Coordinates of all heavy atoms in Angstrom, one line a residue:
V195 N -74.9 6.1 18.3 CA -74.7 5.8 16.9 C -73.6 6.6 16.3 O -72.7 6.1 15.5 CB -76.0 6.2 16.1 CG1 -75.9 5.9 14.6 CG2 -77.2 5.4 16.7
I196 N -73.4 7.9 16.7 CA -72.3 8.7 16.3 C -71.0 8.0 16.7 O -70.1 7.9 16.0 CB -72.4 10.1 16.8 CG1 -73.5 10.9 16.1 CG2 -71.1 10.9 16.5 CD1 -73.8 12.3 16.7
S197 N -71.0 7.6 18.0 CA -69.7 7.0 18.5 C -69.4 5.7 17.8 O -68.2 5.3 17.8 CB -69.9 6.8 20.0 OG -70.2 8.0 20.7
S198 N -70.4 5.0 17.3 CA -70.1 3.7 16.6 C -69.4 3.9 15.2 O -68.9 3.0 14.7 CB -71.4 3.0 16.3 OG -72.2 3.6 15.3
K199 N -69.4 5.2 14.8 CA -68.7 5.6 13.5 C -69.2 4.7 12.3 O -68.4 4.4 11.4 CB -67.2 5.4 13.7 CG -66.6 6.2 14.8 CD -66.7 7.7 14.7 CE -65.8 8.4 15.7 NZ -66.1 8.1 17.1
H200 N -70.4 4.3 12.3 CA -70.9 3.4 11.2 C -71.2 4.2 9.9 O -71.2 3.6 8.9 CB -72.1 2.6 11.7 CG -73.4 3.4 11.4 ND1 -74.2 3.1 10.3 CD2 -74.0 4.4 12.0 CE1 -75.3 3.9 10.3 NE2 -75.2 4.7 11.4
R201 N -71.4 5.5 10.0 CA -71.7 6.3 8.8 C -70.4 7.0 8.4 O -69.7 7.7 9.2 CB -72.8 7.3 9.1 CG -73.3 7.9 7.8 CD -74.5 8.9 8.2 NE -75.5 8.3 9.1 CZ -76.4 7.4 8.7 NH1 -76.5 7.1 7.4 NH2 -77.3 7.0 9.5
L202 N -70.0 6.8 7.1 CA -68.7 7.2 6.7 C -68.6 8.7 6.8 O -67.6 9.2 7.3 CB -68.6 6.9 5.2 CG -68.3 5.4 4.9 CD1 -68.3 5.1 3.4 CD2 -66.9 5.0 5.4
G203 N -69.6 9.5 6.5 CA -69.5 11.0 6.5 C -69.3 11.5 8.0 O -68.5 12.3 8.2
V204 N -70.1 10.8 8.9 CA -69.9 11.2 10.3 C -68.5 10.8 10.8 O -67.9 11.5 11.6 CB -71.1 10.6 11.1 CG1 -70.9 10.9 12.6 CG2 -72.4 11.2 10.6
D205 N -68.1 9.6 10.4 CA -66.8 9.2 10.8 C -65.7 10.1 10.4 O -64.8 10.6 11.3 CB -66.5 7.8 10.2 CG -65.2 7.2 10.7 OD1 -64.6 7.7 11.7 OD2 -64.6 6.3 10.0
F206 N -65.7 10.6 9.2 CA -64.6 11.5 8.8 C -64.8 12.9 9.3 O -63.8 13.6 9.6 CB -64.6 11.5 7.2 CG -63.8 10.4 6.6 CD1 -64.5 9.2 6.2 CD2 -62.4 10.4 6.5 CE1 -63.7 8.2 5.6 CE2 -61.7 9.4 6.0 CZ -62.3 8.2 5.6
L207 N -66.0 13.3 9.6 CA -66.3 14.5 10.3 C -65.7 14.5 11.7 O -65.0 15.5 12.2 CB -67.8 14.8 10.3 CG -68.2 16.3 10.7 CD1 -67.8 17.3 9.8 CD2 -69.7 16.3 11.0
C208 N -65.9 13.4 12.3 CA -65.3 13.2 13.7 C -63.8 13.2 13.6 O -63.2 13.9 14.5 CB -65.8 11.9 14.3 SG -67.5 11.8 14.8
R209 N -63.2 12.6 12.7 CA -61.7 12.6 12.5 C -61.3 14.0 12.3 O -60.2 14.5 13.0 CB -61.3 11.8 11.3 CG -61.6 10.3 11.5 CD -61.0 9.5 10.2 NE -61.6 8.2 10.2 CZ -61.1 7.3 9.3 NH1 -60.1 7.5 8.5 NH2 -61.7 6.1 9.2
K210 N -61.9 14.8 11.5 CA -61.5 16.2 11.3 C -61.7 17.0 12.6 O -61.0 18.1 12.7 CB -62.3 16.9 10.1 CG -61.8 16.5 8.8 CD -60.4 17.0 8.6 CE -59.8 16.5 7.2 NZ -58.4 17.1 7.1
S211 N -62.6 16.6 13.4 CA -62.9 17.3 14.7 C -62.0 16.8 15.8 O -62.2 17.3 16.9 CB -64.4 17.2 15.0 OG -65.2 17.6 13.9
G212 N -61.1 15.9 15.6 CA -60.3 15.4 16.7 C -61.1 14.4 17.6 O -60.6 14.1 18.7
L213 N -62.2 13.9 17.1 CA -62.9 12.9 17.9 C -62.6 11.5 17.5 O -63.3 10.8 16.7 CB -64.4 13.1 17.8 CG -65.0 14.4 18.3 CD1 -66.4 14.5 18.0 CD2 -64.7 14.6 19.7
T214 N -61.4 11.0 17.9 CA -61.1 9.6 17.6 C -60.7 8.9 18.9 O -60.2 9.5 19.9 CB -59.8 9.6 16.7 OG1 -58.8 10.3 17.3 CG2 -60.1 10.2 15.3
G215 N -61.0 7.6 19.0 CA -60.7 6.8 20.1 C -61.5 7.0 21.4 O -61.2 6.6 22.4
R216 N -62.7 7.7 21.2 CA -63.6 7.9 22.3 C -65.0 8.1 21.8 O -65.2 8.4 20.6 CB -63.2 9.1 23.2 CG -63.2 10.4 22.5 CD -63.0 11.5 23.5 NE -63.0 12.9 23.0 CZ -64.1 13.6 23.0 NH1 -65.3 13.2 23.4 NH2 -64.0 14.9 22.5
E217 N -66.0 8.0 22.8 CA -67.4 8.3 22.4 C -67.6 9.8 22.2 O -66.9 10.6 22.8 CB -68.3 7.7 23.4 CG -68.4 8.4 24.7 CD -67.4 7.9 25.8 OE1 -66.4 7.4 25.4 OE2 -67.8 7.9 27.0
A218 N -68.7 10.1 21.5 CA -69.0 11.5 21.3 C -69.9 11.9 22.4 O -70.8 11.2 22.9 CB -69.7 11.7 19.9
L219 N -69.8 13.2 22.8 CA -70.7 13.8 23.7 C -71.5 15.0 23.1 O -71.1 15.4 22.0 CB -69.9 14.4 24.9 CG -68.9 13.5 25.6 CD1 -68.1 14.2 26.7 CD2 -69.7 12.4 26.3

C-alpha cells in the first residue's frame, strides 16, 4: 500500500525521504 503512493501524506513523505521510482521496504 505504501508503494502504491495512494495516500497523499505518505506519498510526499516518501518523496522527502528519497523513495521515488521504487517499492518501499
Side-chain angles (χ1 to χ4, degrees):
V195 179
I196 291 175
S197 300
S198 72
K199 308 294 196 301
H200 88 100
R201 196 177 308 282
L202 288 170
V204 175
D205 182 20
F206 277 97
L207 190 67
C208 287
R209 296 187 196 185
K210 281 295 176 184
S211 304
L213 294 179
T214 56
R216 67 175 179 87
E217 73 267 31
L219 304 175

